[in-house]
Amino acid sequence: MDAAQGLLEELPDGVVVVGADARVQLVNAGAERCTGIPREQLLGQDVRRALPLQDTTGRDWWSMTDPFTGLATRSGHRERLLVLPGEHEVLVTARYVRPARSAPVQRVVLQLRDTEARRRLENDHAGLISTVAHELRSPLTSVKGFTSTLLRRWERLSDAQKRLMLETVEADADRVTRLIAELLDISRMDAGRLEVKRQVVDLAGLVRGQVERAVATGQPPERFRVAISAALPEVWADPDRLEQVLSNLVGNAVRHGAGQIDVSVTPDPDGDGVAVVVDDEGEGIPPEHLGVVFTKFWRGSRRGGTGLGLYVVRGLVDAHGGRITVGASPSGGARFRFTLPAAVPDFVQLPGTPLLDRRSGADRRQLRLSLPDGVDERTPAAGTPGTTTGAADPSR
């Protein structure tokens, strides 16, 4: 019994055990902290008077639940927010212990938790709503303003003015779409329902595509340097999700970095997959912030946006069975490095069947995108920093 009592004292949550006579038999230290009531005032007392719990409308919780003489089929109550005198809130879960089915209650075990964790969750939700509202207001205001101008002054606007307004509307619509996609991904990740649709992907082509888009939006081609190994293992992944990851990392390097942006794709030296590294020459990320870069709402110093992009990136890489790290690039800027395994999914290789050549057949070849003129593309040599040697990554 002493050992059991010792374990109860170490529990972070409060535990109160009540006998069939409704008197308190056991109270641990967590219950004292949670309720603010010394155990001497609880032990041996009628729990209905010692812990006069009420719901948020002021109704007596013990009268409503009636654990001792109520329905014999009940086994307890799920966690509920209840109130003690003095408006002290506490989260309560009840468990009814019966010696047999439908037998009278032998003991009632109460688990008590402080509401601090709940408040933090509510604050996170409030922060998310505030951030989303702020991020949506700007593009929607722009869309509303430009569409109203186009409708009312169409005949008086030049073709160049119309084109500029429509391009702005399209860009703002894309911004809203990306934000909604991030929110949906966060919801799926938090609920454990994020799915990836695996297929053979041309990772090198996805990287070239991201650089091509950046150049198309006005970035100088000479700002990018792409290094892709000649022989890469076959990777099964969700191309849409990987495009989302690359778009976020390359976009961050463009917006928050400076100077040259290096993107390399090489075999992972520590596994049988691939490693993708994105380096920039900006100010980098302070060492004290490296541990929170992939958390919700992290923006860093003088960095805009919702602070959700990198949180989504980590979730997508994790969903593929990969790993992402952040550190300092050789030039002092930021380095993001993620790996993807090269394992073939179970649904492709069935037990007892020969391994098929998935790269054969014209219908299975993938189009190789070419980089815009001016982009420096090279094949990384063995031992080149940031490509094939893991020791060059300071975040490892």
Side-chain angles (χ1 to χ4, degrees):
M1 187 65 182
D2 291 340
Q5 179 67 37
L7 290 175
L8 285 175
E9 293 297 316
E10 295 175 1
L11 290 176
D13 295 337
V15 176
V16 175
V17 179
V18 184
D21 57 356
R23 296 191 177 275
V24 179
Q25 297 178 342
L26 186 146
V27 179
N28 73 342
E32 288 186 290
R33 292 191 302 269
C34 189
T35 63
I37 304 174
R39 70 180 72 194
E40 292 78 13
Q41 297 181 21
L42 296 174
L43 290 172
Q45 303 298 315
D46 189 310
V47 70
R48 293 166 291 193
R49 290 193 295 271
L51 287 176
L53 296 167
Q54 299 178 339
D55 66 9
T56 53
T57 64
R59 295 178 298 177
D60 181 66
W61 185 70
W62 295 106
S63 299
M64 291 189 300
T65 57
D66 192 14
F68 304 102
T69 59
L71 292 176
T73 57
R74 291 184 302 180
S75 59
H77 290 277
R78 294 180 178 178
E79 185 176 80
R80 291 191 59 182
L81 177 64
L82 301 177
V83 183
L84 286 168
E87 299 184 353
H88 183 82
E89 295 181 343
V90 61
L91 298 169
V92 180
T93 307
R95 170 71 176 173
Y96 303 161
V97 180
R98 305 176 186 271
R101 185 178 179 83
S102 300
V105 172
Q106 191 175 54
R107 286 188 306 276
V108 176
V109 180
L110 301 178
Q111 179 183 3
L112 312 175
R113 292 199 303 123
D114 192 85
T115 57
E116 181 180 354
R118 184 183 181 124
R119 288 196 187 96
R120 286 198 299 266
L121 182 61
E122 291 174 348
N123 290 338
D124 284 348
H125 288 167
L128 179 60
I129 293 173
S130 176
T131 299
V132 171
H134 175 75
E135 291 296 322
L136 287 175
R137 185 182 297 116
S138 177
L140 290 179
T141 300
S142 172
V143 169
K144 174 63 177 175
F146 280 125
T147 52
S148 297
T149 301
L150 287 168
L151 289 172
R152 295 173 184 174
R153 303 183 179 182
W154 181 267
E155 300 298 335
R156 286 178 283 177
L157 296 173
S158 66
D159 290 342
Q161 289 174 322
K162 293 175 183 177
R163 183 176 183 84
L164 175 62
M165 291 183 181
L166 290 174
E167 288 176 346
T168 305
V169 169
E170 182 184 34
D172 286 335
D174 289 341
R175 179 178 170 188
V176 172
T177 301
R178 286 193 301 270
L179 178 58
I180 293 174
E182 286 181 351
L183 294 175
L184 290 174
D185 286 336
I186 289 174
S187 176
R188 296 187 186 104
M189 286 188 294
D190 290 345
R193 297 197 302 266
L194 182 66
E195 296 181 356
V196 293
K197 299 177 181 179
R198 298 178 184 272
Q199 64 185 66
V200 179
V201 296
D202 179 11
L203 188 55
L206 292 177
V207 169
R208 295 188 183 98
Q210 289 303 317
V211 174
E212 187 179 48
R213 290 187 184 93
V215 173
T217 59
Q219 292 297 317
E222 59 272 11
R223 188 179 181 190
F224 297 94
R225 185 165 54 196
V226 178
I228 299 176
S229 292
L232 291 173
E234 187 176 77
V235 175
W236 285 75
D238 188 324
D240 294 332
R241 299 298 192 183
L242 284 190
E243 188 171 4
Q244 192 174 349
V245 171
L246 292 168
S247 174
N248 196 297
L249 296 181
V250 174
N252 278 350
V254 170
R255 290 190 300 272
H256 308 309
Q260 193 84 41
I261 297 175
D262 293 313
V263 184
S264 68
V265 184
T266 63
D268 182 8
D270 298 324
D272 57 356
V274 296
V276 180
V277 178
V278 179
D279 287 332
D280 64 60
E281 297 179 347
E283 298 179 357
I285 300 172
E288 62 271 17
H289 290 174
L290 293 178
V292 295
V293 166
F294 298 107
T295 58
K296 288 181 184 177
F297 307 123
W298 182 86
R299 297 180 180 88
S301 59
R302 297 186 287 109
R303 299 195 175 206
T306 62
L308 301 175
L310 290 177
Y311 178 79
V312 173
V313 165
R314 184 183 64 176
L316 295 179
V317 173
D318 288 346
H320 283 85
R323 181 171 178 264
I324 185 167
T325 58
V326 60
S329 68
S331 60
R335 160 174 288 187
F336 287 90
R337 179 182 188 271
F338 70 91
T339 59
L340 295 171
V344 178
D346 294 337
F347 68 84
V348 175
Q349 178 59 36
L350 299 177
T353 61
L355 183 62
L356 301 178
D357 182 6
R358 294 174 299 279
R359 292 169 292 182
S360 60
D363 57 334
R364 295 189 183 276
R365 297 193 187 102
Q366 300 194 34
L367 179 64
R368 183 188 186 279
L369 297 177
S370 59
L371 288 168
D373 294 338
V375 176
D376 184 6
E377 181 175 11
R378 61 189 65 187
T379 299
T384 302
T387 56
T388 57
T389 56
D393 187 350
S395 65
R396 293 168 58 83

